Amino acid sequence: MSFDNAYEAINDGAGEDAHWAFGTGFDDPLAGVDRALPAGVPVAELTAYCLMLGDDALVLSQRLAEWCSRAPELEEDVALANIALDLLGQARLLLSRAGEVEGAGRDEDTLAYLRDEHEFRNVRLVEIDCGPGPGGDFASTIARLLVFSSWRLAVFSRLVESADPVLSAVAAKGVKELAYHRDHAAQWTLRLAGGTEYSRERMVAGLARVWPLVGELFDPHPVELALPGVAVDPSLLRPEVDQVLDTVFGAAGLHRPEIAPLSPVAGRTGRDGAHTEALGYLLAEMQYLARSLPGASW
Amino acid sequence: MSESPRSSWPLYEVFVRGKRGLNHVHVGSLHAPDDEMALRNARDLYTRRNEGVSIWVVPAAAITASSPDEKDPFFAPAADKVYRHPTFYSIPEDVPHL
C-alpha cells in the first residue's frame, strides 16, 4: 500500500469521501426530527425559552470570536474559535426553533440582527467584557467559560428528555460539545491556578470578575416554570454545578469566591431584557451591517 | 517579557488513526505546554473532533530519526540481495492470502 499523503492513508477504505481528510459525513442533528409543536405547550413561553438558550450561545459566541488572532498561543486561538463555532451552531438551531414556534415569520437572522438590547434574553454572565478587551483577560475568559459550560451542560443533559423533540435533539448534539468546552476550561483553570504566582493571581481575579453573575444562572424564570417537561428548572441544577466547580477548584487549590451577586434592575435580569451596558455595544457591532442594509441576502 | 511563550511550549508530533483506518499515521506537529493539552490541541487541529479516531502525541524530542547521510548503508540490505527474498517457488493457487 502506498499513499500520496498521510490523510489518504488514514482514510484508506473509508469509501467515497476518502479524499477528504476525515470524510464528509456530517450529520444534520435535526434530520428526521418532528418539528410540529407538541400538544399543550404554550407558544409564547416556548418561543421565549428557545430565545433564552439561543441568546446565551449567540452572545458568548460573539465574545469568544473577539479572541480570534489575540489568544496567547496559536493552538489556543483555534480552540477558542472552535468553541465559539459550537455555540454559534447551537444558537442557530435554537433561534430558528424560536422563530418557527412563534410563527411570525422571523428567522434566525431576523432574531439575531433585528432585535434590540431589551429583547435579548441572555443571562448577563455571557455579555460582560472578559477580554481580550480592557474588561478582562484570558483568565477571566476561562473562568466564565468554566462556569457557563458547567451550567449549560447540566441544563442540556436534562433537556435531552424534553417533550419538545427539537429542543431534545439540539440538546443531544450540544451535550458532547459542552462537555468538551467544560473540559477545556477546567484544564486551563488548573494550569493557570497551578502555574506561576502571577497566573494564579489572574485566575483568582478572573473568578471574582464573573462570580457576581453566577447566581442568575440558577434563578428560575416564569417562562421555565411554565414549561414543565419541556424546559429545565435551573434552580434544581445548583448542587450538581457546584459539585463540578468544587471538584475543579479543589484540584486547582482555589476557593469558591464569596462575592455578592449583582442585583437585578428593578427586579429584572438578563432573562427579562435588563442587561449590563456591555450588551448595547456588543449588539451595535454585531448588527451594524444588517441594520445598514435591511433585507439584503448574504 | 523575558522569554518567548513558545520556549515553554515544546513541539509535539501527532499521529492519528481514522475512523476506519488500520494504523496511526503521522499528520503533523503542534506546540503545547504538556501532553494533555497536546492531545486536546491535536483534536482541534487535526481531527475536527470526529468521533471514533485515536490520537497519539509524542514530544518531538522523544523521537530518534534515521540520518539521511547514512541512507545507503542503512537501507541497502534489501533490494540488491535477491537471495534474501523467497521468490524461487510458485505460489499454490489455493492459498489466497499469501
Side-chain angles (χ1 to χ4, degrees):
Chain A
M1 271 188 285
S2 72
F3 301 99
D4 287 340
N5 62 57
Y7 291 116
E8 269 184 47
I10 292 171
N11 260 289
D12 183 35
E16 282 301 302
D17 50 18
H19 59 293
W20 292 101
F22 292 94
T24 53
F26 299 112
D27 301 323
D28 175 3
L30 300 184
V33 171
D34 180 10
R35 303 195 70 99
L37 192 65
V41 175
V43 168
E45 279 77 5
L46 182 57
T47 303
Y49 188 59
C50 292
L51 284 180
M52 288 176 176
L53 296 177
D55 287 348
D56 286 347
L58 177 66
V59 174
L60 186 56
S61 170
Q62 179 79 6
R63 280 297 185 207
L64 289 171
E66 292 171 356
W67 277 97
C68 276
S69 81
R70 293 169 172 183
E73 280 291 341
L74 189 57
E75 285 80 2
E76 188 54 24
D77 218 73
V78 174
L80 291 178
N82 247 324
I83 293 170
L85 282 170
D86 283 346
L87 289 173
L88 188 61
Q90 293 177 13
R92 293 189 58 185
L93 296 172
L94 288 162
L95 293 186
S96 296
R97 181 58 171 168
E100 177 181 83
V101 170
E102 183 189 46
R106 296 200 285 181
D107 64 5
E108 52 180 309
D109 282 345
T110 314
L111 288 167
Y113 292 124
L114 301 178
R115 273 181 305 151
D116 285 325
E117 187 184 337
H118 66 274
E119 296 168 284
F120 269 75
R121 296 276 189 154
N122 57 281
V123 289
R124 292 177 292 178
L125 175 71
V126 296
E127 75 202 25
I128 58 168
D129 179 6
C130 280
D137 58 5
F138 184 62
S140 49
T141 289
I142 290 299
R144 167 164 64 189
L145 186 62
L146 177 67
V147 170
F148 179 76
S149 53
S150 300
W151 170 81
R152 193 167 170 95
L153 180 56
V155 173
F156 273 40
S157 313
R158 283 166 182 74
L159 209 56
V160 171
E161 308 291 327
S162 172
D164 179 35
V166 177
L167 276 181
S168 163
V170 170
K173 172 177 183 284
V175 159
K176 286 179 278 181
E177 298 168 344
L178 293 162
Y180 169 75
H181 304 171
R182 188 180 74 174
D183 172 76
H184 188 79
Q187 290 286 331
W188 270 117
T189 303
L190 295 177
R191 272 161 190 76
L192 292 171
T196 64
E197 203 176 307
Y198 182 63
S199 72
R200 181 179 180 80
E201 198 179 290
R202 301 310 307 163
M203 192 66 230
V204 170
L207 281 171
R209 166 103 180 97
V210 302
W211 209 257
L213 293 161
V214 171
E216 193 178 318
L217 295 171
F218 303 99
D219 289 340
H221 191 274
V223 158
E224 288 157 331
L225 300 178
L227 293 167
V230 174
V232 175
D233 176 356
S235 62
L236 306 175
L237 307 177
R238 182 101 212 201
E240 179 185 324
V241 176
D242 274 343
Q243 199 186 354
V244 169
L245 294 178
D246 286 345
T247 305
V248 177
F249 292 165
L254 296 167
H255 299 288
R256 228 192 282 174
E258 290 182 19
I259 299 174
L262 186 68
S263 38
V265 181
R268 297 161 68 232
T269 65
R271 289 282 188 241
D272 311 298
H275 293 282
T276 66
E277 63 176 8
L279 187 64
Y281 293 104
L282 184 148
L283 294 181
E285 185 174 23
M286 189 177 88
Q287 299 179 335
Y288 163 73
L289 193 64
R291 297 276 190 182
S292 317
L293 298 165
S297 49
W298 55 72
Chain B
M1 216 177 284
S2 59
E3 58 170 349
S4 111
R6 279 279 157 185
S7 62
S8 52
W9 281 52
L11 189 68
Y12 281 81
E13 298 298 332
V14 182
F15 300 79
V16 172
R17 185 166 62 76
K19 224 180 223 174
R20 282 156 288 190
L22 292 175
N23 40 31
H24 289 75
V25 175
H26 181 241
V27 291
S29 51
L30 52 79
H31 290 268
D34 57 36
D35 299 357
E36 284 299 305
M37 289 300 269
L39 209 49
R40 286 165 174 80
N41 291 344
R43 183 163 95 142
D44 283 349
L45 289 166
Y46 293 108
T47 74
R48 314 304 305 189
R49 284 184 267 143
N50 215 339
E51 268 80 10
V53 297
S54 161
I55 303 174
W56 290 346
V57 289
V58 184
I63 294 175
T64 308
S66 62
S67 158
D69 299 340
E70 298 166 17
K71 194 180 168 208
D72 282 350
F74 212 72
F75 296 108
D80 62 345
K81 295 176 184 169
V82 69
Y83 47 87
R84 288 196 173 196
H85 300 275
T87 56
F88 301 102
Y89 55 89
S90 53
I91 297 167
E93 280 177 10
D94 55 349
V95 183
H97 298 300
L98 201 66

